[in-house]
Every structure is written in C-alpha cells, then in structure tokens.
Amino acid sequence: MSDSPSGCTEKRSAVTEAEVEALVRGICFKTGPPRTLGVEVEWLVHESRDPRLPVSPERLEAAYAALRALPLSSALTVEPGGQLELSSAPATSLTDVITSVAADLDAVRAVLREAGLVLNGFGQDPWNPPRRYLHEPRYDAMEQCLDRFGPEGRAMMCTSASVQVCLDAGYEEPGPLGYGRRWWLSYQLGAVLLAAFANSPLARGRVTGWRSTRQSLWAAMDPGRAGAPRLDGDPRTVWARHVLDAPVMCVRADEGPWGVPEGVSFRDWTRSSDPPGRADLDYHLTTLFPPVRPRGHLELRMIDAQPGEDGWIVPLAVTAALFEDPEAAEIAYRTVKPLAERAGSLPAPRNPLWIAAARSGLADPELHEAALACFDAAVEALPRLGAGDGVQAAVAAFTDRYVARGRCPADDLLSQLHGKDIRT
C-alpha cells in the first residue's frame, strides 16, 4: 500500500480504453534475463515492555522522525496502522539483498530500542485491534471503500504485515524462466509458500481458526481489488482486462476528501464524459492488491511476516531459489502442477487450494508433500545461487523444524498460547 503515490491531481489528458489496455500490457510484464531480486519486509511496531500495549501516535511519530534521518539503502515507509516497511533496492544477487536489508534493519532496531520500541514479525497483530495511524486522503478513501465489504479491510490496513518477494517477470521465450511459466507458477507455488510460512493464527488475543489470518482477510475482501485474474490466457492480456474491470477505489482531489465511487470500474471511467488520464491509471494500478502483482516485475504478496530478527531471510531465499535456478524452477513446476486441479477455475485467494493453505498450513497433506519437494529443491539450489553458509543453514533449519514435520510458524504460536508468552 505505501508504495503508492499519495499526491493529488494534475491536468488530465484522457486515455481511452484501448490505450489503457496497451499501456498495461507494456508496463506490467517487462521481460529479459532474470537478474534482479528484491524484498519488502513489513513489521508491527510494539512496546518493548509489553507488545499488548498499543503504541501511542506521538511515540510512533517521534520514532519515525528519528528513523527518517538514517542513511538507509532501503526505502522506509509507513503503513496505515503504523507498521514499518523496508523496501530493498533491486539487486543482482540474493546475497546483496540480504546484506543491505539486514544492515538497514540493524540500524532501525537500534533507534527503536532507544525509544523503547521493538519490531515484531507476525502476519496479523495477535493482540491489538485495527487503529489508523496515518490520516491521509488516500487511506481515508481506502477505508471508506473497503468498509463496504466488511471489517476485514481495516484489519488488513492496520494490523497485518508480510514479506513480499520481488522477482523479474522472466524471459519472453517459454521454458522454466519464461514469463508465462513464472506467472502461472507464482500462483500455484504461492499456495505452498502461504502454507509453509503461515504465521498469524491469532487476532485480539483469540484463535481465529486460520493458520494465516492475514490471508483470510484478503480472501474476504472485494475480489475485484484483492483477487487474482483467471490464469487461462496470455498474462499480459489477462492482467490488462483485469485492470480495466477492477473497481475504481478513489478519484483524487486537490482539496477536501477524495471521491469514492461505488460500482464504477476503470473501464466504465474511460467511457464516461470525464475520462481518466495516464496518472489516474498509474494510481489505479497501486490500488489493486492481488496475491501476485505485476509491476514490470512480479511482486509475491502471500507470505506472512516471519518470527525472529532474521526470519524474513528464509522465504526470500526459498522463493528466489525456486524461481531463479532453472533446475529448481522445473522441479517446483512439476511438483505443484497437480495442485492446479484442486485450485479449480476460481482465482486465488478464494479457491479451495488457497483457502486450505491459509486455514491449515502444512497440516494439509497435499500441501505438505509439495512443500517437502520444493524446499528440498531450494536447499539444493541455494549454493548454485551463491547463497552463503548462514542462509543455507537458516533454510535447512526451517525445513527441519517446520516443513519436515508438517508445521508452520503459526503452529508454534498455537502451541505456546496457553500459559506462555508468545512475544518475539
């Protein structure tokens, strides 16, 4: 969310429906040899002395003012509920991404420590209810729009956190690293990643019945905004049509609240008497939150924030290995191909496969079997990607602790719930 422009309007030069489709086809899948990688890590900000206590807006504001003075290599942004996000610059290797983000996190934690605050990695805040920290026209409009479908939108905005892995779209040609294969794989393998890294079984101190409550929020929201398009076609064409048919979240204004139309698609807007301009299209793209968002590269958004200071490294490394190493990518493709039948024709995240992943994690036998094969392939591929011993050891330890046992981090939280402290 926070990667979006929040400025207001400028004089529009209208774009037609055909121009929108051509523009989206051209900008959302930029192909070439896969060579860059990135990660966006979101964190909940809690009181060090007791994470169950809400952090006051004044304390958050002071902490973020100090953080903005840091010379970070990652972009630091703030989510609507005060969550912190670090977005790495694109890097040419897994090692470069990990090194730069880890150094930034060290600096951020040092500042927060002085303020009596701490970063916690949960997909959904286990204790605190949604509370807006940022009061800006974009988020006022977003809240109004999402409220039409229920309370899940506010929880997503204010109490959720994730690890988002960013990958090149791939080659133009077919094959394990082709953009068509990578687009399809991101959704089938995405369910396995969701299950393996599920880490949000609690909300407001209670068990929700989901290993990934965060993903359940996305599944309950407007599918036009949070859902994927159908996968039965050329990715560029499918995504362009999805963008046109998606509902308009807001119409920006120079002064006062932004307009929040109801039941108006971007296609409808292009056909109106006051059609959108190119800047409106660019903004509209930032208001769509499918599990995999094509932004020139592929942004995988299904992974919950992870426990521990370095827990985010494991999903980044595993995902990179399964997409960037041709041998591992082929193994992953063959492994998850049978899962497509279970997913059926309903797009993620509302199809049966994704619902099972969010609800059961790796307790689901079919997802467990797929995860075993995929993590084994990732472990084998990491040395070929130049991953260091520490990264390889972290992935192996996660595999032994969770994947081999049909568990995910959410299961630790559930095991610790009765009579034990689950703060990290």
Side-chain angles (χ1 to χ4, degrees):
M1 291 178 292
S2 59
D3 60 350
S4 316
S6 58
C8 293
T9 61
E10 58 281 327
K11 184 174 178 61
R12 289 203 300 260
S13 177
V15 289
T16 66
E17 185 177 334
E19 287 171 335
V20 169
E21 185 160 357
L23 284 167
V24 173
R25 287 176 58 90
I27 64 179
C28 288
F29 289 89
K30 295 179 181 177
T31 56
R35 62 188 182 276
T36 57
L37 180 69
V39 69
E40 301 173 16
V41 287
E42 296 174 345
W43 302 87
L44 303 173
V45 182
H46 286 148
E47 293 280 0
S48 302
R49 56 195 173 96
D50 188 347
R52 296 164 182 79
L53 297 176
V55 181
S56 71
E58 294 76 17
R59 282 170 55 72
L60 278 176
E61 182 60 34
Y64 278 120
L67 290 174
R68 291 187 183 100
L70 293 174
L72 304 175
S73 61
S74 304
L76 186 150
T77 49
V78 184
E79 295 293 336
Q83 308 99 305
L84 180 147
E85 178 179 284
L86 288 178
S87 302
S88 74
T92 56
S93 74
L94 175 62
T95 298
D96 288 346
V97 176
I98 292 172
T99 299
S100 65
V101 175
D104 287 343
L105 281 169
D106 286 344
V108 166
R109 288 193 174 99
V111 170
L112 293 179
R113 194 178 305 117
E114 289 295 318
L117 301 175
V118 66
L119 298 180
N120 272 332
F122 300 105
Q124 164 75 17
D125 194 311
W127 307 288
N128 297 301
R131 184 184 61 166
R132 284 268 302 284
Y133 166 68
L134 294 180
H135 293 276
E136 300 173 357
R138 170 181 171 84
Y139 297 122
D140 292 343
M142 180 182 290
E143 184 175 272
Q144 181 181 343
C145 177
L146 298 181
D147 277 352
R148 293 170 179 161
F149 292 87
E152 293 85 4
R154 291 196 183 202
M156 175 277 295
M157 290 173 64
C158 299
T159 56
S160 69
S162 67
V163 176
Q164 298 175 15
V165 181
C166 299
L167 306 158
D168 279 344
Y171 288 100
E172 192 71 24
E173 297 81 9
L177 302 183
Y179 81 94
R181 170 78 69 87
R182 285 161 77 89
W183 173 247
W184 182 91
L185 181 62
S186 67
Y187 275 103
Q188 309 308 332
L189 179 59
V192 178
L193 297 173
L194 163 60
F197 295 111
N199 186 39
S200 51
L202 307 175
R204 305 193 190 197
R206 297 182 178 181
V207 175
T208 64
W210 299 84
R211 297 304 201 283
S212 178
T213 300
R214 173 181 166 272
Q215 190 60 53
S216 77
L217 301 177
W218 289 111
M221 290 166 54
D222 176 14
R225 189 163 314 285
R230 295 173 63 92
L231 300 180
D232 54 349
D234 171 68
R236 292 189 175 106
T237 300
V238 167
W239 179 247
R241 291 174 180 171
H242 182 77
V243 168
L244 277 163
D245 292 331
V248 175
M249 186 181 83
C250 58
V251 178
R252 296 171 294 162
D254 292 316
E255 296 180 359
W258 294 0
V260 185
E262 187 168 4
V264 177
S265 70
F266 202 83
R267 191 187 302 276
D268 295 333
W269 195 5
T270 65
R271 296 174 177 178
S272 72
S273 59
D274 186 22
R278 171 63 189 270
D280 296 307
L281 171 61
D282 293 341
Y283 197 85
H284 175 64
L285 290 170
T286 74
T287 68
L288 304 181
F289 309 115
V292 181
R293 185 162 62 172
R295 304 177 60 201
H297 58 274
L298 300 181
E299 181 184 78
L300 277 63
R301 304 169 53 86
M302 73 288 299
I303 299 170
D304 281 356
Q306 295 296 289
E309 291 192 356
D310 299 326
W312 59 275
I313 293 174
V314 176
L316 169 62
V318 169
T319 305
L322 295 175
F323 278 87
E324 302 305 312
D325 181 81
E327 183 177 337
E330 187 62 31
I331 292 172
Y333 173 73
R334 293 199 304 266
T335 298
V336 303
K337 195 172 183 180
L339 298 179
E341 182 176 348
R342 185 174 176 187
S345 60
L346 193 64
R350 292 189 165 197
N351 66 48
L353 177 66
W354 277 66
I355 294 297
R359 187 179 297 279
S360 303
L362 293 187
D364 180 276
E366 193 172 10
L367 287 164
H368 180 212
E369 182 180 357
L372 285 169
C374 289
F375 273 72
D376 284 347
V379 168
E380 293 293 325
L382 284 172
R384 297 193 291 268
L385 294 182
D389 292 342
V391 174
Q392 295 181 51
V395 173
F398 186 97
T399 304
D400 290 343
R401 178 172 180 174
Y402 296 113
V403 180
R405 303 178 185 182
R407 292 172 60 84
C408 59
D411 292 306
D412 284 355
L413 291 173
L414 294 172
S415 297
Q416 296 167 8
L417 178 62
H418 298 291
K420 295 185 179 180
D421 193 348
I422 64 171
R423 76 187 75 181
T424 57

